[in-house]
Amino acid sequence: MRKKLIAGNWKMFKTNSEALQLANQVKIKTTEISKTKIVMCPPFTALAAVADVVRGTKIGVGAQNLYWEKEGAFTAEISAGMIKSTGAAYVIIGHSERRQYFGETDATVNKRLISALENGLTAIVCVGETLNEREANVTRDVVGKQIRGAFNGITASDFSQIIVAYEPVWAIGTGKTATPDQAQEVHAYLRQVMADEKGREIAESLQILYGGSVKPENASELLSQKDIDGALVGGACLNADSFGAIIHSAEAL
Ligand code: PEP
């Protein structure tokens, strides 16, 4: 039985004092949560501070990206080891905003994933189609290619440190959510691709999160779908009431 996981992608929001406030509020609102895993992904600047706030709780902390080299003359980049040293244990890789604005490709997603795994971080690997791609009926081709590219050369034993997030690009930050049926269909397809590529056991244990305008009003129905194991939440994770409500919806299932 796969556990539910609710992760919050703070994107480029929250100064350090705001981050401390939000992390503390989420901590207070989730003291009774026992079954659902919670992960908060603040900007790099607040990772250590947020990790300090949640130390000793069940809340995990993650970065939103990493660079695959260990160290070197790579101005402004952050390595997996640096992320680990803040107390964070997770990292988001291949978010569509990174693909869209910063040239991320399936090949660089793969390099980042390998570096995350080597450094003991759990990776949340994002895939998803654009509106044009959905309308052209190529969603399966697109997400299949993304997931195969991301996991190129990744071996069975690594999958305990890998989570997938299906995030249709047309649903991110737009208020348009995939219907539970639309999301379930792609999640089931991704699980099938994983079964074909890496075997049924890995496919069945892999957590696949849905992301794209998840809010308290739609969380429960999405999270009830058979192959939806949690959510990657953007906008609604910036407020402790709405993020807390989504977490409580997952816990109630
Ligand atoms: C995201 O950024 O991963 C995301 C899903 O954003 P939103 O919830 O705002 O659509």
Side-chain angles (χ1 to χ4, degrees):
M1 176 69 176
R2 296 180 300 268
K3 282 194 169 178
K4 292 279 191 264
L5 186 153
I6 306 296
N9 172 15
W10 295 17
K11 310 197 189 198
M12 197 176 75
F13 289 99
K14 307 293 178 189
T15 61
N16 263 21
S17 57
E18 291 165 347
L20 282 176
Q21 194 184 16
L22 177 57
N24 271 303
Q25 288 169 343
V26 171
K27 182 169 137 178
I28 291 163
K29 285 187 185 296
T30 56
T31 45
E32 287 122 59
I33 299 294
S34 61
K35 298 182 291 178
T36 308
K37 180 72 193 170
I38 305 160
V39 178
M40 293 194 285
C41 302
F44 287 126
T45 44
L47 278 178
V50 171
D52 281 347
V53 170
V54 301
R55 189 157 291 122
T57 72
K58 287 192 168 164
I59 303 173
V61 176
Q64 300 170 18
N65 188 23
L66 61 74
Y67 189 57
W68 55 82
E69 293 290 346
K70 184 167 172 266
E71 58 186 8
F74 303 106
T75 300
E77 294 298 325
I78 308 282
S79 72
M82 290 170 179
I83 291 168
K84 196 86 203 276
S85 75
T86 65
Y90 293 79
V91 61
I92 298 171
I93 297 180
H95 190 278
S96 66
E97 287 153 15
R98 302 299 312 172
R99 294 179 192 256
Q100 192 178 349
Y101 305 128
F102 302 100
E104 195 82 71
T105 64
D106 295 337
T108 58
V109 167
N110 181 250
K111 285 184 174 201
R112 290 178 212 276
L113 175 59
I114 291 167
S115 178
L117 297 171
E118 281 172 357
N119 285 277
L121 293 172
T122 294
I124 303 175
V125 178
C126 302
V127 298
E129 82 288 2
T130 63
L131 187 56
N132 280 347
E133 289 164 340
R134 175 158 282 265
E135 286 175 350
N137 241 337
V138 292
T139 297
R140 287 180 173 219
D141 298 341
V142 170
V143 298
K145 181 172 167 293
Q146 288 172 334
I147 205 157
R148 286 189 186 90
F151 296 155
N152 186 20
I154 302 297
T155 56
S157 61
D158 290 324
F159 279 90
S160 58
Q161 275 171 254
I162 296 177
I163 295 161
V164 168
Y166 167 57
E167 299 206 305
V169 180
W170 49 271
I172 296 182
T174 58
K176 285 186 203 153
T177 319
T179 64
D181 284 349
Q182 282 174 321
Q184 165 58 28
E185 201 245 311
V186 180
H187 281 234
Y189 176 70
L190 288 169
R191 211 177 290 290
Q192 185 56 50
V193 172
M194 290 302 298
D196 295 344
E197 296 285 322
K198 309 286 175 185
R200 179 58 55 194
E201 205 180 315
I202 286 172
E204 284 306 322
S205 57
L206 183 73
Q207 285 178 308
I208 308 180
L209 315 181
Y210 169 77
S213 298
V214 176
K215 4 182 211 284
E217 302 78 56
N218 60 23
S220 189
E221 209 186 341
L222 285 160
L223 294 169
S224 307
Q225 302 303 307
K226 178 173 166 285
D227 288 293
I228 300 186
D229 307 312
L232 180 53
V233 184
C237 81
L238 298 172
N239 173 287
D241 286 337
S242 50
F243 192 50
I246 294 168
I247 295 164
H248 281 273
S249 297
E251 184 79 357
L253 292 172

